[in-house]
Amino acid sequence: KGIFLGNVFCEIRTFEPKASVTQCYKCYGFDHTAIWCPKKQQICPYCSQSHKPTECLIRQENSVEQFKCPNCKEDQCHSAVDPLCPVYQEKFAYSQRSQHGH
């Protein structure tokens, strides 16, 4: 199955949506975007302090063992943008179940 665009044949496939997680790039929480973020200040995804990620000394030193995820609220040696974050994994699993109607 396909169509020609000019002289090029393009295959047509059925769209299959992928599971996704909405994450805010202001507070790094889930289920909202920065424009709708309830937080007044930027939260660093690496140390949970109130500064931009680019200003984080822990990140600059690559001190992974000091990372403190603002979602987990514990010193778990990962950032809020780490796909191994338990909160991220929970949200991703929920998104997959929702996509498949479970």
Side-chain angles (χ1 to χ4, degrees):
K1 251 171 130 172
I3 62 170
F4 278 95
L5 294 175
N7 293 332
V8 179
F9 181 78
C10 298
E11 182 182 349
I12 297 176
R13 291 182 243 151
T14 303
F15 175 70
E16 295 180 24
K18 299 203 185 298
S20 65
V21 176
T22 300
Q23 186 171 27
C24 175
Y25 289 102
K26 183 175 180 185
C27 74
Y28 291 88
F30 296 100
D31 303 325
H32 67 276
T33 59
I35 198 165
W36 299 109
C37 185
K39 304 283 184 183
K40 295 192 184 299
Q41 295 183 328
Q42 170 86 47
I43 303 296
C44 177
Y46 301 100
C47 70
S48 300
Q49 299 297 312
S50 296
H51 58 252
K52 295 178 181 177
T54 54
E55 299 169 353
C56 185
L57 297 177
I58 290 172
R59 179 180 180 230
Q60 290 171 10
E61 295 169 0
N62 202 24
S63 300
V64 177
E65 65 279 351
Q66 294 182 40
F67 282 4
K68 184 176 181 179
C69 175
N71 295 309
C72 293
K73 310 280 193 242
E74 298 176 17
D75 296 319
Q76 293 195 12
C77 302
H78 68 267
S79 72
V81 294
D82 188 333
L84 297 178
C85 169
V87 177
Y88 173 85
Q89 290 182 342
E90 179 183 308
K91 295 287 184 179
F92 187 79
Y94 177 79
S95 176
Q96 285 184 313
R97 286 191 307 273
S98 297
Q99 175 185 340
H100 296 296
H102 296 103

